[in-house]
PDB file of all heavy atoms in Angstrom:
ATOM      1  N   THR C   1      70.674 -71.461 -48.143  1.00  0.00           N
ATOM      2  CA  THR C   1      71.833 -70.608 -47.773  1.00  0.00           C
ATOM      3  C   THR C   1      72.668 -71.512 -46.886  1.00  0.00           C
ATOM      4  O   THR C   1      72.261 -71.887 -45.775  1.00  0.00           O
ATOM      5  CB  THR C   1      71.429 -69.348 -47.005  1.00  0.00           C
ATOM      6  OG1 THR C   1      70.319 -69.567 -46.146  1.00  0.00           O
ATOM      7  CG2 THR C   1      70.962 -68.309 -48.018  1.00  0.00           C
ATOM      8  N   ALA C   2      73.865 -71.881 -47.354  1.00  0.00           N
ATOM      9  CA  ALA C   2      74.712 -72.852 -46.699  1.00  0.00           C
ATOM     10  C   ALA C   2      75.759 -72.168 -45.824  1.00  0.00           C
ATOM     11  O   ALA C   2      76.536 -71.342 -46.245  1.00  0.00           O
ATOM     12  CB  ALA C   2      75.438 -73.687 -47.754  1.00  0.00           C
ATOM     13  N   TYR C   3      75.702 -72.462 -44.549  1.00  0.00           N
ATOM     14  CA  TYR C   3      76.756 -71.933 -43.646  1.00  0.00           C
ATOM     15  C   TYR C   3      77.720 -73.107 -43.270  1.00  0.00           C
ATOM     16  O   TYR C   3      77.508 -74.264 -43.644  1.00  0.00           O
ATOM     17  CB  TYR C   3      76.113 -71.348 -42.383  1.00  0.00           C
ATOM     18  CG  TYR C   3      75.585 -72.374 -41.365  1.00  0.00           C
ATOM     19  CD1 TYR C   3      76.465 -72.798 -40.346  1.00  0.00           C
ATOM     20  CD2 TYR C   3      74.323 -72.825 -41.393  1.00  0.00           C
ATOM     21  CE1 TYR C   3      76.012 -73.726 -39.313  1.00  0.00           C
ATOM     22  CE2 TYR C   3      73.868 -73.721 -40.426  1.00  0.00           C
ATOM     23  CZ  TYR C   3      74.650 -74.137 -39.404  1.00  0.00           C
ATOM     24  OH  TYR C   3      74.237 -75.021 -38.462  1.00  0.00           O
ATOM     25  N   GLY C   4      78.808 -72.794 -42.638  1.00  0.00           N
ATOM     26  CA  GLY C   4      79.840 -73.760 -42.336  1.00  0.00           C
ATOM     27  C   GLY C   4      80.516 -74.323 -43.552  1.00  0.00           C
ATOM     28  O   GLY C   4      80.939 -75.478 -43.524  1.00  0.00           O
ATOM     29  N   VAL C   5      80.579 -73.584 -44.609  1.00  0.00           N
ATOM     30  CA  VAL C   5      81.133 -74.098 -45.887  1.00  0.00           C
ATOM     31  C   VAL C   5      82.616 -74.480 -45.766  1.00  0.00           C
ATOM     32  O   VAL C   5      83.116 -75.282 -46.489  1.00  0.00           O
ATOM     33  CB  VAL C   5      80.978 -73.061 -47.042  1.00  0.00           C
ATOM     34  CG1 VAL C   5      79.502 -72.888 -47.356  1.00  0.00           C
ATOM     35  CG2 VAL C   5      81.658 -71.760 -46.720  1.00  0.00           C
ATOM     36  N   LEU C   6      83.254 -73.907 -44.697  1.00  0.00           N
ATOM     37  CA  LEU C   6      84.657 -74.304 -44.471  1.00  0.00           C
ATOM     38  C   LEU C   6      84.792 -75.124 -43.197  1.00  0.00           C
ATOM     39  O   LEU C   6      85.911 -75.210 -42.546  1.00  0.00           O
ATOM     40  CB  LEU C   6      85.598 -73.043 -44.402  1.00  0.00           C
ATOM     41  CG  LEU C   6      85.618 -72.236 -45.694  1.00  0.00           C
ATOM     42  CD1 LEU C   6      86.610 -71.113 -45.552  1.00  0.00           C
ATOM     43  CD2 LEU C   6      86.003 -73.123 -46.876  1.00  0.00           C
ATOM     44  N   ALA C   7      83.709 -75.733 -42.762  1.00  0.00           N
ATOM     45  CA  ALA C   7      83.693 -76.681 -41.671  1.00  0.00           C
ATOM     46  C   ALA C   7      84.266 -76.049 -40.410  1.00  0.00           C
ATOM     47  O   ALA C   7      85.113 -76.647 -39.713  1.00  0.00           O
ATOM     48  CB  ALA C   7      84.405 -77.968 -41.992  1.00  0.00           C
ATOM     49  N   HIS C   8      83.834 -74.771 -40.122  1.00  0.00           N
ATOM     50  CA  HIS C   8      84.314 -74.128 -38.883  1.00  0.00           C
ATOM     51  C   HIS C   8      85.801 -73.897 -38.841  1.00  0.00           C
ATOM     52  O   HIS C   8      86.366 -73.789 -37.788  1.00  0.00           O
ATOM     53  CB  HIS C   8      83.779 -74.806 -37.658  1.00  0.00           C
ATOM     54  CG  HIS C   8      82.325 -75.091 -37.660  1.00  0.00           C
ATOM     55  ND1 HIS C   8      81.363 -74.087 -37.319  1.00  0.00           N
ATOM     56  CD2 HIS C   8      81.614 -76.187 -37.968  1.00  0.00           C
ATOM     57  CE1 HIS C   8      80.192 -74.610 -37.456  1.00  0.00           C
ATOM     58  NE2 HIS C   8      80.297 -75.850 -37.898  1.00  0.00           N
ATOM     59  N   GLY C   9      86.448 -73.964 -40.007  1.00  0.00           N
ATOM     60  CA  GLY C   9      87.923 -73.755 -40.039  1.00  0.00           C
ATOM     61  C   GLY C   9      88.706 -74.917 -40.562  1.00  0.00           C
ATOM     62  O   GLY C   9      89.834 -74.781 -41.002  1.00  0.00           O
ATOM     63  N   LEU C  10      88.133 -76.085 -40.475  1.00  0.00           N
ATOM     64  CA  LEU C  10      88.841 -77.307 -40.876  1.00  0.00           C
ATOM     65  C   LEU C  10      89.230 -77.318 -42.338  1.00  0.00           C
ATOM     66  O   LEU C  10      90.263 -77.770 -42.774  1.00  0.00           O
ATOM     67  CB  LEU C  10      88.008 -78.598 -40.563  1.00  0.00           C
ATOM     68  CG  LEU C  10      87.941 -79.011 -39.111  1.00  0.00           C
ATOM     69  CD1 LEU C  10      87.040 -80.203 -38.982  1.00  0.00           C
ATOM     70  CD2 LEU C  10      89.374 -79.324 -38.566  1.00  0.00           C
ATOM     71  N   LEU C  11      88.328 -76.721 -43.174  1.00  0.00           N
ATOM     72  CA  LEU C  11      88.523 -76.733 -44.621  1.00  0.00           C
ATOM     73  C   LEU C  11      89.232 -75.504 -45.166  1.00  0.00           C
ATOM     74  O   LEU C  11      89.273 -75.270 -46.349  1.00  0.00           O
ATOM     75  CB  LEU C  11      87.194 -76.907 -45.300  1.00  0.00           C
ATOM     76  CG  LEU C  11      86.618 -78.370 -45.303  1.00  0.00           C
ATOM     77  CD1 LEU C  11      85.202 -78.380 -45.762  1.00  0.00           C
ATOM     78  CD2 LEU C  11      87.451 -79.288 -46.200  1.00  0.00           C
ATOM     79  N   THR C  12      89.835 -74.721 -44.261  1.00  0.00           N
ATOM     80  CA  THR C  12      90.623 -73.620 -44.778  1.00  0.00           C
ATOM     81  C   THR C  12      91.877 -74.019 -45.427  1.00  0.00           C
ATOM     82  O   THR C  12      92.540 -73.344 -46.239  1.00  0.00           O
ATOM     83  CB  THR C  12      90.967 -72.614 -43.655  1.00  0.00           C
ATOM     84  OG1 THR C  12      91.744 -73.342 -42.628  1.00  0.00           O
ATOM     85  CG2 THR C  12      89.725 -72.087 -42.979  1.00  0.00           C
ATOM     86  N   GLY C  13      92.395 -75.242 -45.049  1.00  0.00           N
ATOM     87  CA  GLY C  13      93.682 -75.674 -45.507  1.00  0.00           C
ATOM     88  C   GLY C  13      94.855 -75.173 -44.772  1.00  0.00           C
ATOM     89  O   GLY C  13      96.004 -75.530 -45.028  1.00  0.00           O
ATOM     90  N   THR C  14      94.603 -74.285 -43.802  1.00  0.00           N
ATOM     91  CA  THR C  14      95.665 -73.730 -42.940  1.00  0.00           C
ATOM     92  C   THR C  14      95.592 -74.178 -41.515  1.00  0.00           C
ATOM     93  O   THR C  14      96.522 -73.882 -40.706  1.00  0.00           O
ATOM     94  CB  THR C  14      95.564 -72.161 -42.991  1.00  0.00           C
ATOM     95  OG1 THR C  14      94.299 -71.720 -42.495  1.00  0.00           O
ATOM     96  CG2 THR C  14      95.726 -71.622 -44.449  1.00  0.00           C
ATOM     97  N   TYR C  15      94.476 -74.846 -41.144  1.00  0.00           N
ATOM     98  CA  TYR C  15      94.358 -75.285 -39.760  1.00  0.00           C
ATOM     99  C   TYR C  15      95.307 -76.478 -39.450  1.00  0.00           C
ATOM    100  O   TYR C  15      95.425 -77.364 -40.240  1.00  0.00           O
ATOM    101  CB  TYR C  15      92.859 -75.766 -39.524  1.00  0.00           C
ATOM    102  CG  TYR C  15      92.651 -76.126 -38.082  1.00  0.00           C
ATOM    103  CD1 TYR C  15      92.244 -75.177 -37.158  1.00  0.00           C
ATOM    104  CD2 TYR C  15      92.783 -77.457 -37.663  1.00  0.00           C
ATOM    105  CE1 TYR C  15      92.002 -75.480 -35.808  1.00  0.00           C
ATOM    106  CE2 TYR C  15      92.566 -77.800 -36.324  1.00  0.00           C
ATOM    107  CZ  TYR C  15      92.175 -76.821 -35.405  1.00  0.00           C
ATOM    108  OH  TYR C  15      91.973 -77.198 -34.144  1.00  0.00           O
ATOM    109  N   ARG C  16      95.941 -76.375 -38.326  1.00  0.00           N
ATOM    110  CA  ARG C  16      96.843 -77.413 -37.853  1.00  0.00           C
ATOM    111  C   ARG C  16      96.454 -77.816 -36.468  1.00  0.00           C
ATOM    112  O   ARG C  16      95.978 -77.027 -35.658  1.00  0.00           O
ATOM    113  CB  ARG C  16      98.318 -76.950 -37.787  1.00  0.00           C
ATOM    114  CG  ARG C  16      98.878 -76.517 -39.184  1.00  0.00           C
ATOM    115  CD  ARG C  16      98.974 -77.779 -40.093  1.00  0.00           C
ATOM    116  NE  ARG C  16      99.578 -77.411 -41.361  1.00  0.00           N
ATOM    117  CZ  ARG C  16      98.852 -77.146 -42.444  1.00  0.00           C
ATOM    118  NH1 ARG C  16      97.494 -77.124 -42.384  1.00  0.00           N
ATOM    119  NH2 ARG C  16      99.412 -76.860 -43.591  1.00  0.00           N
ATOM    120  N   GLN C  17      96.649 -79.098 -36.115  1.00  0.00           N
ATOM    121  CA  GLN C  17      96.259 -79.584 -34.824  1.00  0.00           C
ATOM    122  C   GLN C  17      97.081 -78.910 -33.720  1.00  0.00           C
ATOM    123  O   GLN C  17      98.320 -78.996 -33.700  1.00  0.00           O
ATOM    124  CB  GLN C  17      96.472 -81.144 -34.771  1.00  0.00           C
ATOM    125  CG  GLN C  17      95.940 -81.772 -33.480  1.00  0.00           C
ATOM    126  CD  GLN C  17      95.824 -83.266 -33.622  1.00  0.00           C
ATOM    127  OE1 GLN C  17      96.052 -83.856 -34.687  1.00  0.00           O
ATOM    128  NE2 GLN C  17      95.409 -83.889 -32.564  1.00  0.00           N
ATOM    129  N   PRO C  18      96.405 -78.185 -32.803  1.00  0.00           N
ATOM    130  CA  PRO C  18      97.157 -77.501 -31.812  1.00  0.00           C
ATOM    131  C   PRO C  18      97.701 -78.423 -30.722  1.00  0.00           C
ATOM    132  O   PRO C  18      97.056 -79.403 -30.375  1.00  0.00           O
ATOM    133  CB  PRO C  18      96.087 -76.486 -31.151  1.00  0.00           C
ATOM    134  CG  PRO C  18      94.787 -77.253 -31.425  1.00  0.00           C
ATOM    135  CD  PRO C  18      94.985 -77.970 -32.715  1.00  0.00           C
ATOM    136  N   ALA C  19      98.832 -78.051 -30.191  1.00  0.00           N
ATOM    137  CA  ALA C  19      99.483 -78.919 -29.225  1.00  0.00           C
ATOM    138  C   ALA C  19      98.663 -79.091 -27.935  1.00  0.00           C
ATOM    139  O   ALA C  19      98.624 -80.140 -27.349  1.00  0.00           O
ATOM    140  CB  ALA C  19     100.913 -78.361 -28.856  1.00  0.00           C
ATOM    141  N   GLY C  20      98.019 -77.995 -27.519  1.00  0.00           N
ATOM    142  CA  GLY C  20      97.241 -78.081 -26.277  1.00  0.00           C
ATOM    143  C   GLY C  20      95.810 -78.394 -26.507  1.00  0.00           C
ATOM    144  O   GLY C  20      94.999 -78.318 -25.505  1.00  0.00           O
ATOM    145  N   GLY C  21      95.336 -78.772 -27.630  1.00  0.00           N
ATOM    146  CA  GLY C  21      93.984 -79.030 -27.919  1.00  0.00           C
ATOM    147  C   GLY C  21      93.188 -77.782 -28.318  1.00  0.00           C
ATOM    148  O   GLY C  21      93.689 -76.665 -28.044  1.00  0.00           O
ATOM    149  N   ASP C  22      92.124 -77.997 -28.907  1.00  0.00           N
ATOM    150  CA  ASP C  22      91.254 -76.869 -29.399  1.00  0.00           C
ATOM    151  C   ASP C  22      89.964 -76.814 -28.529  1.00  0.00           C
ATOM    152  O   ASP C  22      89.268 -77.875 -28.441  1.00  0.00           O
ATOM    153  CB  ASP C  22      90.897 -77.055 -30.841  1.00  0.00           C
ATOM    154  CG  ASP C  22      90.282 -75.831 -31.499  1.00  0.00           C
ATOM    155  OD1 ASP C  22      89.403 -75.242 -30.874  1.00  0.00           O
ATOM    156  OD2 ASP C  22      90.674 -75.474 -32.633  1.00  0.00           O
ATOM    157  N   PRO C  23      89.641 -75.650 -27.956  1.00  0.00           N
ATOM    158  CA  PRO C  23      88.458 -75.563 -27.105  1.00  0.00           C
ATOM    159  C   PRO C  23      87.192 -75.843 -27.837  1.00  0.00           C
ATOM    160  O   PRO C  23      86.198 -76.281 -27.283  1.00  0.00           O
ATOM    161  CB  PRO C  23      88.475 -74.122 -26.586  1.00  0.00           C
ATOM    162  CG  PRO C  23      89.382 -73.373 -27.554  1.00  0.00           C
ATOM    163  CD  PRO C  23      90.396 -74.391 -27.945  1.00  0.00           C
ATOM    164  N   ARG C  24      87.257 -75.737 -29.187  1.00  0.00           N
ATOM    165  CA  ARG C  24      85.971 -76.062 -29.955  1.00  0.00           C
ATOM    166  C   ARG C  24      85.657 -77.587 -29.889  1.00  0.00           C
ATOM    167  O   ARG C  24      84.569 -77.938 -30.240  1.00  0.00           O
ATOM    168  CB  ARG C  24      86.228 -75.682 -31.386  1.00  0.00           C
ATOM    169  CG  ARG C  24      86.088 -74.185 -31.667  1.00  0.00           C
ATOM    170  CD  ARG C  24      86.439 -73.842 -33.107  1.00  0.00           C
ATOM    171  NE  ARG C  24      87.899 -73.906 -33.321  1.00  0.00           N
ATOM    172  CZ  ARG C  24      88.476 -73.464 -34.434  1.00  0.00           C
ATOM    173  NH1 ARG C  24      87.760 -72.974 -35.447  1.00  0.00           N
ATOM    174  NH2 ARG C  24      89.792 -73.570 -34.576  1.00  0.00           N
ATOM    175  N   ALA C  25      86.616 -78.399 -29.473  1.00  0.00           N
ATOM    176  CA  ALA C  25      86.339 -79.792 -29.388  1.00  0.00           C
ATOM    177  C   ALA C  25      85.300 -80.165 -28.433  1.00  0.00           C
ATOM    178  O   ALA C  25      84.656 -81.240 -28.546  1.00  0.00           O
ATOM    179  CB  ALA C  25      87.643 -80.556 -29.002  1.00  0.00           C
ATOM    180  N   HIS C  26      84.969 -79.250 -27.506  1.00  0.00           N
ATOM    181  CA  HIS C  26      83.956 -79.571 -26.511  1.00  0.00           C
ATOM    182  C   HIS C  26      82.500 -79.488 -27.135  1.00  0.00           C
ATOM    183  O   HIS C  26      81.569 -80.070 -26.606  1.00  0.00           O
ATOM    184  CB  HIS C  26      84.085 -78.619 -25.297  1.00  0.00           C
ATOM    185  CG  HIS C  26      85.265 -78.825 -24.493  1.00  0.00           C
ATOM    186  ND1 HIS C  26      85.497 -79.972 -23.785  1.00  0.00           N
ATOM    187  CD2 HIS C  26      86.396 -78.111 -24.329  1.00  0.00           C
ATOM    188  CE1 HIS C  26      86.703 -79.949 -23.212  1.00  0.00           C
ATOM    189  NE2 HIS C  26      87.238 -78.794 -23.528  1.00  0.00           N
ATOM    190  N   TRP C  27      82.385 -78.698 -28.176  1.00  0.00           N
ATOM    191  CA  TRP C  27      81.050 -78.611 -28.786  1.00  0.00           C
ATOM    192  C   TRP C  27      81.071 -78.918 -30.282  1.00  0.00           C
ATOM    193  O   TRP C  27      80.035 -79.053 -30.924  1.00  0.00           O
ATOM    194  CB  TRP C  27      80.485 -77.231 -28.596  1.00  0.00           C
ATOM    195  CG  TRP C  27      81.323 -76.079 -29.075  1.00  0.00           C
ATOM    196  CD1 TRP C  27      82.417 -75.550 -28.537  1.00  0.00           C
ATOM    197  CD2 TRP C  27      81.014 -75.224 -30.207  1.00  0.00           C
ATOM    198  NE1 TRP C  27      82.856 -74.461 -29.281  1.00  0.00           N
ATOM    199  CE2 TRP C  27      82.003 -74.246 -30.273  1.00  0.00           C
ATOM    200  CE3 TRP C  27      79.993 -75.253 -31.169  1.00  0.00           C
ATOM    201  CZ2 TRP C  27      82.115 -73.281 -31.290  1.00  0.00           C
ATOM    202  CZ3 TRP C  27      80.044 -74.228 -32.202  1.00  0.00           C
ATOM    203  CH2 TRP C  27      81.081 -73.272 -32.203  1.00  0.00           C
ATOM    204  N   LEU C  28      82.264 -79.092 -30.870  1.00  0.00           N
ATOM    205  CA  LEU C  28      82.468 -79.559 -32.241  1.00  0.00           C
ATOM    206  C   LEU C  28      83.283 -80.827 -32.249  1.00  0.00           C
ATOM    207  O   LEU C  28      84.507 -80.764 -32.260  1.00  0.00           O
ATOM    208  CB  LEU C  28      83.052 -78.489 -33.110  1.00  0.00           C
ATOM    209  CG  LEU C  28      82.332 -77.192 -33.304  1.00  0.00           C
ATOM    210  CD1 LEU C  28      83.225 -76.159 -34.030  1.00  0.00           C
ATOM    211  CD2 LEU C  28      81.052 -77.460 -34.134  1.00  0.00           C
ATOM    212  N   PRO C  29      82.667 -82.042 -32.177  1.00  0.00           N
ATOM    213  CA  PRO C  29      83.411 -83.245 -32.050  1.00  0.00           C
ATOM    214  C   PRO C  29      84.433 -83.474 -33.161  1.00  0.00           C
ATOM    215  O   PRO C  29      85.422 -84.264 -32.951  1.00  0.00           O
ATOM    216  CB  PRO C  29      82.344 -84.325 -32.144  1.00  0.00           C
ATOM    217  CG  PRO C  29      81.129 -83.640 -31.515  1.00  0.00           C
ATOM    218  CD  PRO C  29      81.249 -82.238 -32.055  1.00  0.00           C
ATOM    219  N   ARG C  30      84.282 -82.860 -34.303  1.00  0.00           N
ATOM    220  CA  ARG C  30      85.228 -83.038 -35.410  1.00  0.00           C
ATOM    221  C   ARG C  30      86.590 -82.429 -35.107  1.00  0.00           C
ATOM    222  O   ARG C  30      87.597 -82.783 -35.723  1.00  0.00           O
ATOM    223  CB  ARG C  30      84.647 -82.437 -36.714  1.00  0.00           C
ATOM    224  CG  ARG C  30      83.515 -83.360 -37.183  1.00  0.00           C
ATOM    225  CD  ARG C  30      82.719 -82.727 -38.397  1.00  0.00           C
ATOM    226  NE  ARG C  30      81.676 -83.583 -38.726  1.00  0.00           N
ATOM    227  CZ  ARG C  30      80.691 -83.278 -39.617  1.00  0.00           C
ATOM    228  NH1 ARG C  30      80.685 -82.074 -40.152  1.00  0.00           N
ATOM    229  NH2 ARG C  30      79.723 -84.123 -39.848  1.00  0.00           N
ATOM    230  N   PHE C  31      86.640 -81.568 -34.059  1.00  0.00           N
ATOM    231  CA  PHE C  31      87.942 -81.046 -33.577  1.00  0.00           C
ATOM    232  C   PHE C  31      88.530 -81.863 -32.484  1.00  0.00           C
ATOM    233  O   PHE C  31      89.614 -81.517 -31.963  1.00  0.00           O
ATOM    234  CB  PHE C  31      87.699 -79.612 -33.144  1.00  0.00           C
ATOM    235  CG  PHE C  31      87.601 -78.618 -34.260  1.00  0.00           C
ATOM    236  CD1 PHE C  31      86.353 -78.358 -34.893  1.00  0.00           C
ATOM    237  CD2 PHE C  31      88.671 -77.905 -34.719  1.00  0.00           C
ATOM    238  CE1 PHE C  31      86.186 -77.461 -35.893  1.00  0.00           C
ATOM    239  CE2 PHE C  31      88.517 -76.949 -35.749  1.00  0.00           C
ATOM    240  CZ  PHE C  31      87.318 -76.740 -36.345  1.00  0.00           C
ATOM    241  N   HIS C  32      87.817 -82.873 -31.951  1.00  0.00           N
ATOM    242  CA  HIS C  32      88.308 -83.616 -30.891  1.00  0.00           C
ATOM    243  C   HIS C  32      89.536 -84.467 -31.333  1.00  0.00           C
ATOM    244  O   HIS C  32      89.562 -84.877 -32.494  1.00  0.00           O
ATOM    245  CB  HIS C  32      87.225 -84.618 -30.371  1.00  0.00           C
ATOM    246  CG  HIS C  32      87.607 -85.264 -29.070  1.00  0.00           C
ATOM    247  ND1 HIS C  32      88.320 -86.413 -29.020  1.00  0.00           N
ATOM    248  CD2 HIS C  32      87.265 -84.954 -27.781  1.00  0.00           C
ATOM    249  CE1 HIS C  32      88.483 -86.785 -27.725  1.00  0.00           C
ATOM    250  NE2 HIS C  32      87.863 -85.895 -27.018  1.00  0.00           N
ATOM    251  N   PRO C  33      90.558 -84.653 -30.498  1.00  0.00           N
ATOM    252  CA  PRO C  33      91.750 -85.376 -30.949  1.00  0.00           C
ATOM    253  C   PRO C  33      91.450 -86.701 -31.549  1.00  0.00           C
ATOM    254  O   PRO C  33      92.188 -87.230 -32.429  1.00  0.00           O
ATOM    255  CB  PRO C  33      92.559 -85.533 -29.670  1.00  0.00           C
ATOM    256  CG  PRO C  33      92.109 -84.277 -28.870  1.00  0.00           C
ATOM    257  CD  PRO C  33      90.697 -84.099 -29.130  1.00  0.00           C
ATOM    258  N   ASP C  34      90.406 -87.478 -31.041  1.00  0.00           N
ATOM    259  CA  ASP C  34      90.042 -88.761 -31.610  1.00  0.00           C
ATOM    260  C   ASP C  34      89.654 -88.662 -33.076  1.00  0.00           C
ATOM    261  O   ASP C  34      89.686 -89.646 -33.811  1.00  0.00           O
ATOM    262  CB  ASP C  34      88.910 -89.377 -30.777  1.00  0.00           C
ATOM    263  CG  ASP C  34      89.343 -89.790 -29.408  1.00  0.00           C
ATOM    264  OD1 ASP C  34      90.580 -89.732 -29.117  1.00  0.00           O
ATOM    265  OD2 ASP C  34      88.506 -90.136 -28.617  1.00  0.00           O
ATOM    266  N   ASN C  35      89.160 -87.458 -33.538  1.00  0.00           N
ATOM    267  CA  ASN C  35      88.664 -87.340 -34.898  1.00  0.00           C
ATOM    268  C   ASN C  35      89.527 -86.414 -35.735  1.00  0.00           C
ATOM    269  O   ASN C  35      89.470 -86.510 -36.960  1.00  0.00           O
ATOM    270  CB  ASN C  35      87.245 -86.738 -34.831  1.00  0.00           C
ATOM    271  CG  ASN C  35      86.309 -87.670 -34.086  1.00  0.00           C
ATOM    272  OD1 ASN C  35      86.334 -88.893 -34.224  1.00  0.00           O
ATOM    273  ND2 ASN C  35      85.390 -87.047 -33.337  1.00  0.00           N
ATOM    274  N   LEU C  36      90.263 -85.522 -35.085  1.00  0.00           N
ATOM    275  CA  LEU C  36      90.886 -84.424 -35.826  1.00  0.00           C
ATOM    276  C   LEU C  36      91.924 -84.931 -36.868  1.00  0.00           C
ATOM    277  O   LEU C  36      91.970 -84.465 -37.982  1.00  0.00           O
ATOM    278  CB  LEU C  36      91.500 -83.480 -34.893  1.00  0.00           C
ATOM    279  CG  LEU C  36      92.099 -82.144 -35.523  1.00  0.00           C
ATOM    280  CD1 LEU C  36      90.994 -81.443 -36.269  1.00  0.00           C
ATOM    281  CD2 LEU C  36      92.674 -81.269 -34.432  1.00  0.00           C
ATOM    282  N   ALA C  37      92.731 -85.933 -36.463  1.00  0.00           N
ATOM    283  CA  ALA C  37      93.772 -86.383 -37.439  1.00  0.00           C
ATOM    284  C   ALA C  37      93.139 -86.937 -38.680  1.00  0.00           C
ATOM    285  O   ALA C  37      93.596 -86.685 -39.838  1.00  0.00           O
ATOM    286  CB  ALA C  37      94.594 -87.480 -36.754  1.00  0.00           C
ATOM    287  N   THR C  38      92.028 -87.713 -38.540  1.00  0.00           N
ATOM    288  CA  THR C  38      91.366 -88.208 -39.681  1.00  0.00           C
ATOM    289  C   THR C  38      90.847 -87.149 -40.599  1.00  0.00           C
ATOM    290  O   THR C  38      91.005 -87.167 -41.891  1.00  0.00           O
ATOM    291  CB  THR C  38      90.156 -89.094 -39.278  1.00  0.00           C
ATOM    292  OG1 THR C  38      90.652 -90.223 -38.578  1.00  0.00           O
ATOM    293  CG2 THR C  38      89.339 -89.589 -40.444  1.00  0.00           C
ATOM    294  N   ASN C  39      90.250 -86.098 -39.973  1.00  0.00           N
ATOM    295  CA  ASN C  39      89.677 -85.021 -40.748  1.00  0.00           C
ATOM    296  C   ASN C  39      90.721 -84.131 -41.434  1.00  0.00           C
ATOM    297  O   ASN C  39      90.512 -83.715 -42.594  1.00  0.00           O
ATOM    298  CB  ASN C  39      88.792 -84.173 -39.858  1.00  0.00           C
ATOM    299  CG  ASN C  39      87.582 -84.941 -39.376  1.00  0.00           C
ATOM    300  OD1 ASN C  39      87.103 -85.858 -40.029  1.00  0.00           O
ATOM    301  ND2 ASN C  39      87.046 -84.585 -38.201  1.00  0.00           N
ATOM    302  N   LEU C  40      91.828 -83.929 -40.780  1.00  0.00           N
ATOM    303  CA  LEU C  40      92.905 -83.192 -41.445  1.00  0.00           C
ATOM    304  C   LEU C  40      93.588 -83.969 -42.633  1.00  0.00           C
ATOM    305  O   LEU C  40      94.018 -83.367 -43.575  1.00  0.00           O
ATOM    306  CB  LEU C  40      93.948 -82.784 -40.397  1.00  0.00           C
ATOM    307  CG  LEU C  40      93.533 -81.765 -39.422  1.00  0.00           C
ATOM    308  CD1 LEU C  40      94.649 -81.371 -38.434  1.00  0.00           C
ATOM    309  CD2 LEU C  40      93.007 -80.503 -40.118  1.00  0.00           C
ATOM    310  N   THR C  41      93.537 -85.292 -42.490  1.00  0.00           N
ATOM    311  CA  THR C  41      94.021 -86.140 -43.587  1.00  0.00           C
ATOM    312  C   THR C  41      93.110 -85.904 -44.852  1.00  0.00           C
ATOM    313  O   THR C  41      93.634 -85.894 -45.994  1.00  0.00           O
ATOM    314  CB  THR C  41      94.053 -87.619 -43.213  1.00  0.00           C
ATOM    315  OG1 THR C  41      94.981 -87.808 -42.159  1.00  0.00           O
ATOM    316  CG2 THR C  41      94.462 -88.455 -44.383  1.00  0.00           C
TER     317      THR C  41
END
């Protein structure tokens, strides 16, 4: 049973990098600004 199939929101296709940062970045490194641009690409 696979969870996180949309990568906690990244794979919805509607997520955009927030101007003030995303609080999830503290426990989900893929949302951290150092990584987020690559992942949204």
Side-chain angles (χ1 to χ4, degrees):
T1 40
Y3 76 91
V5 296
L6 298 183
H8 307 279
L10 286 175
L11 283 167
T12 59
T14 60
Y15 183 88
R16 297 292 181 268
Q17 187 164 357
D22 192 315
R24 282 174 288 188
H26 293 292
W27 58 286
L28 294 172
R30 290 171 182 170
F31 284 83
H32 191 277
D34 291 350
N35 299 321
L36 188 55
T38 296
N39 294 334
L40 290 181
T41 297

